Amino acid sequence: MAFADDLLEQAQHLANRERKEPRQASLRRAISTAYYAVFHLLISEATLNWKRVEYRDALARVFEHGKMKSACRKKMGELTASYKTNRRSGSELTVAQHLYRVAETFVEAQNNRHAADYDNSRVWARTEVVAEIESVANSFESWRAIRNESVAQAFLVSLFGGKEPGKEQ
């Protein structure tokens, strides 16, 4: 996760680069970098499951932004529906909440990255950029709390764009 952590740190640096009147370029790059931090966190976690270390970088290039976003949206929907029909409690609820946070953050960060990179009419405030970076940092914490849970590992597989293991579709 070192690269993802470095990207998160870089996003924080960019958001706070200019003490007064931050440049839009710095704020936009911070938003974009925060997205890539969570993007690479999930890819890194998925590729760590690949036994052959020498092929992990090649495997990482298979992931696609759109498929990952779709998988995250799908997981959010499943978790929401599951909560409504089957109230969870204890550790199962905690795991579901953490996983929802990770999926939701990915979707929001990708949407914000797209706006930061392509919508020149939008003006970003440092406070909203810092809040977005904090959201990404919180998703890192959530991921670390659940990374070894089978539901989290199944989620990683779903990011390839196929069926999630153990799900009938």
Side-chain angles (χ1 to χ4, degrees):
M1 281 188 290
F3 183 55
D5 291 322
D6 289 348
L7 287 170
L8 184 58
E9 182 182 321
Q10 184 68 37
Q12 292 163 338
H13 169 75
L14 287 166
N16 294 296
R17 185 170 172 240
E18 296 90 15
R19 288 197 177 271
K20 296 180 182 178
E21 298 184 41
R23 295 179 188 162
Q24 284 298 296
S26 296
L27 297 177
R28 288 170 182 274
R29 293 291 9 139
I31 287 289
S32 187
T33 303
Y35 164 69
Y36 281 106
V38 70
F39 174 77
H40 284 288
L41 170 73
L42 295 175
I43 291 173
S44 173
E45 288 291 305
T47 60
L48 283 175
N49 291 323
W50 192 257
K51 183 179 178 180
R52 300 218 175 225
V53 176
E54 66 270 23
Y55 295 115
R56 288 181 182 165
D57 289 337
L59 179 62
R61 289 190 294 275
V62 173
F63 288 88
E64 297 177 20
H65 299 271
K67 287 182 179 180
M68 291 175 72
K69 184 177 181 179
S70 293
C72 287
R73 283 185 171 155
K74 184 174 182 179
K75 178 52 67 181
M76 290 166 59
E78 289 172 2
L79 290 169
T80 299
S82 174
Y83 182 75
K84 289 178 182 176
T85 60
N86 178 20
R87 299 257 183 213
R88 298 174 177 178
S89 62
S91 64
E92 189 178 348
L93 175 61
T94 301
V95 170
Q97 289 170 331
H98 282 303
L99 187 53
Y100 190 93
R101 176 182 289 151
V102 171
E104 180 182 43
T105 300
F106 185 91
V107 171
E108 289 177 4
Q110 191 180 97
N111 289 340
N112 285 332
R113 183 208 56 93
H114 193 270
D117 288 350
Y118 302 110
D119 183 359
N120 291 330
S121 67
R122 179 154 180 196
V123 177
W124 294 85
R126 185 191 321 258
T127 54
E128 68 183 319
V129 172
V130 168
E132 174 64 18
I133 295 167
E134 186 175 320
S135 176
V136 170
N138 289 338
S139 76
F140 274 48
E141 291 175 21
S142 283
W143 180 256
R144 289 179 178 129
I146 64 166
R147 66 190 294 193
N148 294 319
E149 299 290 334
S150 61
V151 66
Q153 291 298 311
F155 170 70
L156 291 175
V157 173
S158 77
L159 297 176
F160 281 107
K163 294 179 181 178
E164 187 174 318
K167 298 281 182 182
E168 304 245 352
Q169 296 178 348

